[in-house]
Amino acid sequence: MKKFLAAGILLTAMTASAFGCTVLGVGKNASVDGSAMVSHTCDSYGDTFATYIVPAADWPKDSQRDVIMGRHGTPGAQPVFRIPQVPHTFRYLAANYSFINEKGLAMSESTFWPDETDERSKKVCAVMNTNTFGPMDAFVVQDVALERCATAREAVKVMGDLVSQYGWGDSGETMPITDGNEVWIIEFYGNKMWAAWRLPDDQVFVAANRARLRHLDLTDKDNVMAAPDIISYAVEQGFISKKDANEKDFSPADVFAPNIGLYSMRREWRALSLLAPQTYKGGADDEVQPMSVKPDKKISVADVLRISSDWYEGTPYDLSKGPAAGPWGDPLRYANSSESDPKATWERSINMHRCTYVHVCQVKADLPEQIKGVAWFGYGAPDTAYLTPLWASMKSLPDIMNPVKGSTRYSDYSSDSAWWAAIRLQHIAEMRYQDARKEIHAVRDPKLAALYHLVPAVQQVAADLIKKGDVDGALDVITDFGCAQALDWHATWLALGDRLFSTYALGTTHMKKAPYPDWWNKQIGFGPVERQKKQ
């Protein structure tokens, strides 16, 4: 078993799929309609790009559940461990990561890692970066929580207990979780170390690939949970001294995963400054950003999408400016290292080319559990992506999301694949980005605005049917509606891609000359070609 477990841990380390996710958690009193939200930009090179439903199931007594590390991102991955199964598991939606179940429990994740910046952090990295502590990883704990839990508090307890019992064998993870009433943030640091904090209801949390939990009062059992030996382990490993071990003010992010990289802090700064431009006074280079802020105005799904689509527009770090953005202001940057300087990188924004999908899970606690949690879901970089409403309780998803129909990275382009259609449009937009995105938004935004009003009405229709005892009829309503919207977006994106390609093909606009801007011509040395004089 040890050999099998080691192979699984190595497989996970080699195929870690989410290298740059940004996540938000929104308390119910921070939103415009009283819903709580969690969001995720899944910035990945390792998943299959498929979206599917894992059905509910009943299990015989004494059944065992396979633990398959890296399962969503690793075709052919094998079980490395087994844990006791529960009698009944819930239905849930999954993509690279699982994200919402039929009870309206929703979650997201952002991978993190400690950096070596001084002697203490080198010691921390030597211990916490080994990834050999146990069989639990982000995929496993999220799946198990969605299979077994109906509330965020319960999910934190189940996930934490799994790691405390069996150990963590993956990179660090930050996970916002909500049931519509509470939002919890849980972090896993390595070995059996974890901590969780309840987000105040009027706050918005952000994480961008570094651990975030600081100044926790471990005696506050209503709002904080943690591994029982979290302080004693830190002292034992020499990460902190006994005199610095304060259970009323403990910062596990600094103790177990110190990180002051711009790659993370600047995205945190940007999200917080967009949420509270009047009241948040943090700086773009501040090594420590607050975990959350109270937004200046209550926010909506549209606001979360706007933040997820950001590339620092209008700031000194604007990725649509300068030579690297090309003549048409393309903020997508494909390379983040070089052979001559492996540490060289572009500025990292929230919106980026390798975002596999974006979701905003919106949960209204006062609705029936089957329909209270809607996942606004779209493929590709958020700025050029649509959001379509999905529920874990839907009886089925449309075939365009089905991996059998070609919606995976391991198949050739197919117009029958929702993922391929979205990425095709994203690439076409780069032919003349700023103009193309205006056309995309002109099509997308009115449709989204209508859906933001229509979805609550559909939920109410389904809720009324449930109250009358017609649960099956309610599920038909959300299934028909959810599938129809996904298919409509897909058809719209295919047609829009065709139109934008013909509009901007061959460096033209509608096959008419579209000269480069003067600043770009000067930058690249464009000008008259002089005849060489004969010698």
Side-chain angles (χ1 to χ4, degrees):
M1 198 279 281
K2 289 182 179 178
K3 188 182 297 184
F4 203 23
L5 179 59
I9 292 170
L10 178 61
L11 181 65
T12 297
M14 292 173 62
T15 59
S17 59
F19 297 106
C21 304
T22 308
V23 295
L24 274 72
V26 182
K28 61 185 179 181
N29 294 339
S31 72
V32 294
D33 60 358
S35 62
M37 294 180 273
V38 296
S39 74
H40 184 195
T41 63
C42 187
D43 306 331
S44 168
Y45 276 130
D47 58 335
T48 64
F49 309 143
T51 308
Y52 54 97
I53 293 173
V54 178
D58 294 311
W59 301 92
K61 186 179 178 181
D62 298 325
S63 293
Q64 296 287 299
R65 186 198 189 280
D66 288 342
V67 172
I68 306 175
M69 298 180 71
R71 175 173 64 86
H72 300 297
T74 311
Q78 298 296 313
V80 298
F81 199 68
R82 287 184 174 87
I83 60 175
Q85 183 59 282
V86 294
H88 179 79
T89 52
F90 301 135
R91 184 181 187 88
Y92 59 96
L93 271 173
N96 187 35
Y97 292 88
S98 303
F99 50 97
I100 192 168
N101 72 8
E102 63 180 319
K103 299 294 183 178
L105 177 67
M107 57 185 64
S108 58
E109 68 75 44
S110 178
T111 307
F112 65 76
W113 44 88
D115 280 346
E116 295 186 7
T117 56
D118 56 25
E119 289 305 312
R120 193 192 76 83
S121 61
K122 288 179 181 179
K123 181 186 296 185
V124 172
C125 287
V127 175
M128 306 307 289
N129 275 350
T130 59
N131 292 336
T132 58
F133 292 121
M136 294 297 137
D137 68 6
F139 304 106
V140 174
V141 296
Q142 288 189 321
D143 287 356
V144 172
L146 290 170
E147 290 168 2
R148 302 181 179 188
C149 303
T151 71
R153 188 177 290 264
E154 181 185 9
V156 168
K157 183 73 165 56
V158 166
M159 297 163 96
D161 285 349
L162 284 172
V163 174
S164 288
Q165 183 173 358
Y166 299 109
W168 185 259
D170 199 358
S171 301
E173 291 283 354
T174 301
M175 299 180 188
I177 309 171
T178 190
D179 53 26
N181 185 34
E182 295 182 334
V183 176
W184 280 81
I185 315 300
I186 188 168
E187 290 189 335
F188 302 100
Y189 305 104
N191 200 338
K192 297 182 178 182
M193 297 300 103
W194 62 274
W197 168 70
R198 183 186 173 189
L199 176 72
D201 292 340
D202 63 350
Q203 300 273 309
V204 180
F205 168 88
V206 59
N209 301 123
R210 65 173 179 170
R212 299 283 284 130
L213 297 186
R214 292 184 174 90
H215 304 298
L216 302 184
D217 181 354
L218 299 179
T219 68
D220 181 4
K221 302 304 182 182
D222 288 337
N223 297 297
V224 176
M225 292 186 245
D229 57 343
I230 193 167
I231 290 183
S232 61
Y233 179 81
V235 173
E236 174 189 313
Q237 294 297 323
F239 298 164
I240 57 174
S241 64
K242 284 186 178 180
K243 67 181 180 62
D244 292 329
N246 184 353
E247 65 176 349
K248 288 185 174 293
D249 186 4
F250 185 67
S251 295
D254 296 329
V255 172
F256 297 112
N259 185 318
I260 55 172
L262 288 173
Y263 185 84
S264 297
M265 72 170 69
R266 198 155 281 164
R267 275 181 288 156
E268 295 165 6
W269 159 77
R270 181 59 169 166
L272 296 170
S273 63
L274 288 171
L275 288 162
Q278 303 301 318
T279 56
Y280 170 64
K281 303 304 181 184
D285 294 329
D286 289 355
E287 293 182 357
V288 176
Q289 301 286 349
M291 294 188 293
S292 64
V293 293
K294 181 178 179 179
D296 289 350
K297 297 180 181 178
K298 293 189 177 185
I299 68 171
S300 64
V301 172
D303 294 316
V304 176
L305 177 60
R306 175 176 59 89
I307 293 168
S308 301
S309 304
D310 182 75
W311 66 72
Y312 304 112
E313 185 176 11
T315 76
Y317 318 105
D318 192 334
L319 291 175
S320 68
K321 304 297 184 184
W328 312 122
D330 182 1
L332 300 181
R333 305 286 172 89
Y334 287 86
N336 58 8
S337 64
S338 71
E339 293 182 4
S340 61
D341 185 359
K343 293 184 177 181
T345 183
W346 300 114
E347 189 73 57
R348 169 62 208 274
S349 63
I350 300 174
N351 186 80
M352 74 175 318
H353 69 279
R354 60 177 163 82
C355 181
T356 307
Y357 61 83
V358 56
H359 73 66
V360 183
C361 289
Q362 180 187 30
V363 188
K364 297 181 179 178
D366 59 345
L367 290 174
E369 62 183 15
Q370 299 93 332
I371 50 93
K372 72 177 186 178
V374 55
W376 296 89
F377 185 91
Y379 293 110
D383 185 51
T384 52
Y386 59 75
L387 294 180
T388 198
L390 302 174
W391 288 263
S393 297
M394 290 170 63
K395 294 182 176 181
S396 63
L397 296 178
D399 285 345
I400 56 172
M401 293 181 168
N402 189 328
V404 176
K405 298 296 183 179
S407 186
T408 80
R409 70 176 300 149
Y410 304 103
S411 58
D412 293 335
Y413 170 80
S414 169
S415 61
D416 293 328
S417 161
W419 184 83
W420 273 117
I423 295 305
R424 170 179 175 260
L425 181 62
Q426 177 179 311
H427 270 289
I428 290 171
E430 290 190 87
M431 296 167 66
R432 201 177 182 105
Y433 193 87
Q434 294 300 324
D435 290 337
R437 74 181 287 266
K438 289 177 183 176
E439 295 194 49
I440 293 171
H441 289 191
V443 172
R444 180 192 73 177
D445 293 354
K447 287 173 66 68
L448 277 177
L451 276 175
Y452 294 146
H453 291 286
L454 188 55
V455 165
V458 170
Q459 287 176 297
Q460 190 57 56
V461 169
D464 290 343
L465 288 171
I466 291 172
K467 289 177 183 177
K468 294 175 182 178
D470 188 5
V471 174
D472 192 63
L475 300 186
D476 282 337
V477 167
I478 61 170
T479 300
D480 292 346
F481 180 80
C483 288
Q485 298 309 312
L487 290 169
D488 180 64
W489 278 117
H490 181 63
T492 299
W493 246 228
L494 287 173
L496 184 55
D498 290 346
R499 176 160 69 82
L500 291 182
F501 183 80
S502 62
T503 299
Y504 299 115
L506 300 177
T508 70
T509 301
H510 297 297
M511 286 299 160
K512 296 179 180 178
K513 289 183 178 180
Y516 287 145
D518 289 341
W519 71 267
W520 176 254
N521 286 336
K522 183 177 180 181
Q523 182 77 41
I524 62 175
F526 181 78
V529 178
E530 296 183 1
R531 186 187 301 270
Q532 293 287 335
K533 292 182 179 180
K534 292 183 179 180
Q535 298 296 324

